[in-house]
Amino acid sequence: MDLFGEINAAGTTIVIVTHDPRIGESTRRCIRIFDGLIQSDNAPVDFSAEDYAEPKSPTFGVSLDDIPDDVQF
């Protein structure tokens, strides 16, 4: 878990999926999901603007502008 903490401190978001509550308790944020529904989210209230900064690289490899107009979602 220390390695994940170092990577996260450097600015990378880490998503861990676990059934072990001890892992969740050692994180800054823990979202509990049951039957596909969010049961709780202990997001810290002291997030700074830097926590919401634009990503350094695109999230997806395709821009919406590259999708043909006749594709329906």
Side-chain angles (χ1 to χ4, degrees):
M1 290 303 296
D2 291 337
L3 179 58
F4 287 135
E6 291 174 27
I7 293 169
N8 182 250
T12 301
T13 299
I14 307 285
V15 177
I16 300 171
V17 179
T18 182
H19 290 242
D20 186 340
R22 294 171 297 175
I23 300 292
E25 291 167 1
S26 68
T27 62
R28 278 186 22 189
R29 183 175 187 181
C30 182
I31 301 171
R32 288 185 171 82
I33 300 174
F34 182 77
D35 283 345
L37 299 173
I38 294 175
Q39 299 298 309
S40 65
D41 181 354
N42 71 342
V45 294
D46 62 343
F47 271 15
S48 67
E50 291 138 11
D51 292 318
Y52 294 100
E54 290 293 318
K56 296 175 186 161
S57 61
T59 304
F60 302 103
V62 176
S63 167
L64 291 177
D65 295 331
D66 297 334
I67 299 174
D69 292 334
D70 60 339
V71 174
Q72 296 181 359
F73 295 97

